[in-house]
Amino acid sequence: MTAPRYQGVFPVVPTTFREDGSLDLASQKRCVDFMIDAGSHGLAILANFSEQFLIADDERELLTRTVLEHVAGRVPVIVTTTHFSTKVCAERSRRAQDMGAAMVMVMPPYHGATFRVGEPQVHAFYAGVSDAISIPIMVQDAPAAGTPMSAAFLARMAQEIEHLSYFKIETAGAASKLRELIRLGGDAIEGPWDGEEAITLIPDLDAGATGAMTGGGYPDGIRQIMDPYVAGKRDEAIAQYTRWLPLINYENRQAGFLAAKALMLEGGVIDCDLPRSPWPAMHPEVRKGLLETARRLDPLVLRWGR
């Protein structure tokens, strides 16, 4: 593989709301500052863990501009621009690039539970987005899209589509898929990345992953796994992975995308951790278990705003 432009820990920035559901941009900026202070190599915005499916188009523009201007080049920012329409996705991606995005992340085109297209249309979709921009595209290969994409198909797109070179693999058997993607794609695969809140981080790193897009609540904890691994200290990385795994598991299997905001509220980073309706708020017992698990690890998030 070629030397990647972007690697390391790029957690997803949650979108912060007030109790009435309106955007809270002051909390949003503090959230970004915390995540940078906690050691994030870069950030990702407007992803599924940012509740992108609950955000209006004009709010997407406002959030993108607000975050990129506030980050002010401190770290690279990946902007999610997923849409079913090639035209809309290309236009979103071009605007994100114009505002300073380092990369765009795009799921294959889908809508609801049944609207899908085949491989020729998926290929044409990503080619159309690539033609509109000059920054890298990350393919988000996630079950939410309901669009199976083989390692061979992903590798072919990387070889044939100019700016498509990063892959966030979140499907079952991610490590095997990453390994096969790297084998088939060669130098066209600039960034094979781990996802799913780092629940499979060590196997994915063993398979050749160079980046991790996790939840935003404890980048310092993920760095404690990634840094020794990259330095060739695999045993130390495994020990840290074992240490942080209960919290990773709690986020991945219990609290979901609300975990980061619950941790940030507890640590005084943000003012409200509610999602937007109709998504339900976190159950009090889930919150209790999440915070109990986090306190045993003392992540920066619980101290940053206090």
Side-chain angles (χ1 to χ4, degrees):
M1 295 185 299
T2 57
R5 283 164 284 184
Y6 305 109
Q7 57 188 317
V9 180
F10 277 62
V12 174
V13 179
T15 302
T16 54
F17 304 112
R18 301 185 182 92
E19 289 190 7
D20 64 3
S22 60
L23 294 178
D24 182 352
L25 295 182
S27 284
Q28 193 71 68
K29 292 175 183 178
R30 291 196 302 274
C31 169
V32 166
D33 288 338
F34 152 71
M35 291 175 67
I36 294 173
D37 286 352
S40 303
H41 293 108
L43 304 173
I45 64 172
L46 298 176
N48 291 332
F49 258 45
S50 311
E51 301 173 63
Q52 60 89 10
F53 42 84
L54 296 170
I55 299 170
D57 287 349
D58 60 335
E59 292 175 327
R60 293 179 59 90
E61 298 291 308
L62 176 60
L63 285 164
T64 301
R65 190 173 302 280
T66 298
V67 170
L68 287 169
E69 288 181 352
H70 188 68
V71 170
R74 285 178 285 170
V75 296
V77 178
I78 300 171
V79 179
T80 308
T81 57
T82 297
H83 195 278
F84 191 94
S85 162
T86 306
K87 181 178 185 296
V88 174
C89 187
E91 290 173 349
R92 281 183 175 181
S93 300
R94 187 164 52 247
R95 288 196 300 273
Q97 174 182 284
D98 291 345
M99 283 188 271
M103 187 189 310
V104 294
M105 182 168 69
V106 182
M107 297 180 77
Y110 76 100
H111 179 72
T114 60
F115 287 90
R116 301 290 184 276
V117 295
E119 284 189 0
Q121 290 77 29
V122 173
H123 187 290
F125 167 83
Y126 279 111
V129 176
S130 178
D131 288 344
I133 58 176
S134 58
I135 57 177
I137 298 169
M138 173 177 283
V139 176
Q140 183 177 3
D141 183 20
T147 304
M149 295 184 290
S150 68
F153 177 60
L154 294 175
R156 181 165 67 86
M157 287 202 297
Q159 291 165 338
E160 296 175 354
I161 299 173
E162 181 178 6
H163 301 299
L164 193 147
S165 53
Y166 284 76
F167 298 85
K168 181 186 178 187
I169 305 298
E170 301 185 283
T171 54
S176 295
K177 192 167 189 176
L178 281 164
R179 192 173 289 110
E180 184 70 356
L181 175 64
I182 293 166
R183 184 185 72 82
L184 293 171
D187 287 346
I189 311 301
E190 182 177 343
W193 281 26
D194 164 88
E196 282 273 70
E197 299 74 68
I199 194 75
T200 59
L201 182 54
I202 292 294
D204 292 348
L205 290 172
D206 286 342
T210 58
M213 189 177 292
T214 64
Y218 43 97
D220 48 328
I222 306 300
R223 284 288 303 267
Q224 290 177 33
I225 305 166
M226 285 281 287
D227 289 358
Y229 192 98
V230 172
K233 302 175 182 178
R234 186 173 181 272
D235 288 346
E236 181 181 336
I238 290 172
Q240 289 296 334
Y241 177 68
T242 302
R243 180 170 173 259
W244 285 90
L245 189 55
L247 183 57
I248 293 170
N249 181 71
Y250 215 99
E251 178 177 30
N252 180 263
R253 303 299 294 171
Q254 304 296 328
F257 64 75
L258 296 181
K261 290 203 286 190
L263 294 169
M264 290 178 184
L265 177 66
E266 183 69 16
V269 179
I270 63 175
D271 294 332
C272 175
D273 66 350
L274 292 175
R276 265 186 171 167
S277 176
W279 199 271
M282 185 181 293
H283 191 283
E285 288 301 311
V286 174
R287 179 191 303 276
K288 178 181 176 182
L290 174 71
L291 296 177
E292 179 184 71
T293 304
R295 287 190 185 105
R296 290 196 290 267
L297 297 162
D298 192 32
L300 178 62
V301 67
L302 298 181
R303 298 175 274 111
W304 187 86
R306 298 300 183 189

